[in-house]
Amino acid sequence: GAVVSQHPSWVICKSGTSVKIECRSLDFQATTMFWYRQFPKQSLMLMATSNEGSKATYEQGVEKDKFLINHASLTLSTLTVTSAHPEDSSFYICSARDLDGRANEQFFGPGTRLTVL
Amino acid sequence: DAKTTQPPSMDCAEGRAANLPCNHSTISGNEYVYWYRQIHSQGPQYIIHGLKNNETNEMASLIITEDRKSSTLILPHATLRDTAVYYCIVRVASYGQNFVFGPGTRLSVLP
């Protein structure tokens, strides 16, 4: 099946710094990628929908100026957490849809665990 | 997307079949039933999906009731590695549609 990778798999940073997380579709092209956040013992919550070549669509309550999303190519989307604070510590997961595949197939990355000290 | 209801947790003995139920009484005619699972600290893993017919693959079987208001995921021979949170999701097969995750069922496979 199609593979989605994330980098880094985990990161620890100081409060106030910015962290960039990459999401790559390794063997397929993805016009649309999704970014989710998951706090401990909770389910995944959609943060934003990332569209190649256009602005991301953010879910209600997600600050677009804090969580910057760039989808510059059909295989790469990045999420930058700007001025990170301890409350941003979470598990961030991306998913991607195969441009040439069936509309009902979506593939998830392994996740990135962010810890803000 | 239609909402789903799943039991919060279930136990299953190793080697036995695990039957995970899901209620989706408000499902629309064009919505599929998907099952994903998430092992601790990993991304969700696709298991199976179906529209109205029962489906089977190398991982599991999906039984959908005739009225499509509920379904059951069956892991025929559960192993310890099947311990995970299982999510039942219903959604249309649209390219731009994301998956809406509920709390899922935490399955514990016991030795």
Side-chain angles (χ1 to χ4, degrees):
Chain A
V3 178
V4 174
S5 71
Q6 286 185 236
H7 178 79
S9 56
W10 60 270
V11 57
I12 301 173
C13 71
K14 292 182 178 180
S15 184
T17 61
S18 295
V19 174
K20 179 184 286 188
I21 302 170
E22 294 184 347
C23 176
R24 294 181 184 273
S25 54
L26 297 185
D27 50 2
F28 66 98
Q29 294 184 322
T31 300
T32 301
M33 291 184 174
F34 302 95
W35 285 96
Y36 296 81
R37 179 168 54 181
Q38 185 176 31
F39 293 109
K41 297 187 183 295
Q42 296 185 24
S43 190
L44 286 77
M45 295 297 294
L46 180 69
M47 297 176 67
T49 301
S50 169
N51 298 299
E52 187 267 338
S54 64
K55 291 183 179 180
T57 303
Y58 290 82
E59 294 299 298
Q60 191 172 11
V62 178
E63 299 175 58
K64 63 179 181 181
D65 295 330
K66 179 172 181 63
F67 298 98
L68 302 179
I69 292 173
N70 183 279
H71 194 157
S73 77
L74 288 173
T75 59
L76 173 65
S77 175
T78 61
L79 169 68
T80 301
V81 183
T82 63
S83 187
H85 291 284
E87 57 265 29
D88 298 322
S89 297
S90 187
F91 193 49
Y92 292 86
I93 304 168
C94 72
S95 69
R97 192 74 54 76
D98 186 345
L99 181 62
D100 295 323
R102 294 174 297 179
N104 53 15
E105 290 186 277
Q106 190 172 131
F107 307 98
F108 287 82
T112 296
R113 185 161 302 282
L114 170 64
T115 301
V116 185
L117 302 177
Chain B
D1 290 337
K3 291 183 177 179
T4 62
T5 304
Q6 298 176 251
S9 64
M10 293 181 63
D11 291 340
C12 176
E14 187 179 17
R16 298 281 192 169
N19 298 286
L20 292 91
C22 179
N23 286 322
H24 31 79
S25 59
T26 60
I27 191 170
S28 300
N30 62 346
E31 288 181 315
Y32 287 73
V33 180
Y34 292 82
W35 283 85
Y36 279 78
R37 74 180 182 183
Q38 186 178 26
I39 297 171
H40 183 62
S41 294
Q42 296 183 24
Q45 176 190 22
Y46 168 81
I47 301 173
I48 200 167
H49 77 279
L51 183 61
K52 53 182 179 182
N53 296 324
N54 297 337
E55 302 287 345
T56 295
N57 62 21
E58 64 279 4
M59 288 184 68
S61 294
L62 173 61
I63 308 298
I64 302 174
T65 58
E66 193 169 339
D67 63 8
R68 302 211 320 128
K69 292 185 177 182
S70 65
S71 61
T72 301
L73 177 74
I74 302 172
L75 307 178
H77 305 287
T79 69
L80 299 179
R81 287 177 294 182
D82 292 321
T83 293
V85 178
Y86 288 76
Y87 299 100
C88 169
I89 302 166
V90 294
R91 64 181 284 278
V92 297
S94 170
Y95 189 85
Q97 284 287 321
N98 64 291
F99 284 80
V100 179
F101 287 82
T105 295
R106 182 171 298 276
L107 175 68
S108 298
V109 181
L110 307 175

